[in-house]
Each structure stands twice: as C-alpha cells, then as structure tokens.
Amino acid sequence: MNAEISTPTAELTQRLSATPRGARLARRLVANALDTWGHPYDGDLNHTAQHLVAELAANAVTHGRVPGRDFEVRVLLLADDDTLRIEVSDARGDRGLRFVTDPEADGGRGLVLVSLLARTWGVTGRDVGKTVWAELSLSVSGAR
C-alpha cells in the first residue's frame, strides 16, 4: 500500500439494493463510469474492472446481505498512482472471506478470480460490515 494518500481524479460512489439486480447494476454503473473517464467499454481495463465488480458485488449480495441493508460500490481513479481502486462494502462483518479448495464444489471461486485479476486486494473492517477492495493498474499492458 502506498504511504501517501492520493486524491482521486474521478470517483463514483453508489448504494444499491442487496439483490442480484443491484449487483448487475453495480457492474453497469462501473462500466459506464470508466467509459466516461476515457476507458472504453471494449478496453481491457473496463472488462477487468467489470469482472471484479461482478464478483465483489455478487459476494456482497450472496454472503454479506443483511435484510433491509444495501451494499455500496465505490470506484476511484487515482491517476497519480496509475491505479483504479474498486471497493464493495456490505453490512456483514461477522463473515470472513474464504477460499473454496474443493475442486468438486459448485461455487466459491470468486476470490480466486479476484486475486488473479487484481494487482492487489484486501478487506477492511468498518463499524458496520466490511469493505472488500481491489486495485488495477491503469496501464493497459499492466492490467495486473
């Protein structure tokens, strides 16, 4: 993690219902924001960011859902650091992250995908819930 705090050149923050529809909308909102910020829909950065948002939002909706509580997606374009930071926050802080190691399991590989796509990622606790974040390089050639 960088010792200095960067000021975002662009930022999107949106609360969404903790439903599959909310997760789909999160992906579309991020894709549109990146396109507006000069990273086109059909570009590598936009595709990778969409995959990360889809996984993190699906996890928030599936495993981090608390009835009556929304989840939040936040995307920061940190041009000074050549970084796109994606954050997804949910209201469930009592469930830790886990990797599924059973090759016969039907699901549970989302965090493996996140770790492969992101340059770095992690989880941060909050007063209520947690935030799972991932960072990508803005360089097309250095997606990881």
Side-chain angles (χ1 to χ4, degrees), residues 41-64:
Y41 289 108
D42 59 351
D44 289 341
L45 178 73
N46 201 313
H47 282 187
T48 303
Q50 286 184 57
H51 286 302
L52 286 171
V53 169
E55 287 300 329
L56 296 178
N59 283 349
V61 166
T62 304
H63 306 293

Side-chain angles (χ1 to χ4, degrees), residues 52-128:
L52 286 171
V53 169
E55 287 300 329
L56 296 178
N59 283 349
V61 166
T62 304
H63 306 293
R65 184 175 186 276
V66 172
R69 298 279 184 120
D70 295 336
F71 77 96
E72 182 177 275
V73 63
R74 183 173 181 224
V75 182
L76 305 163
L77 193 62
L78 306 170
D80 293 348
D81 291 340
D82 187 46
T83 300
L84 174 71
R85 183 175 174 98
I86 299 165
E87 301 175 353
V88 176
S89 302
D90 64 52
R92 206 75 206 253
D94 61 333
R95 285 193 172 172
L97 303 181
R98 57 181 204 136
F99 289 90
V100 173
T101 56
D102 179 5
E104 301 299 319
D106 288 336
R109 292 175 186 80
L111 291 178
V112 173
L113 181 61
V114 169
S115 68
L116 290 172
L117 292 175
R119 178 172 63 190
T120 185
W121 71 279
V123 61
T124 305
R126 301 166 22 130
D127 287 341
V128 175

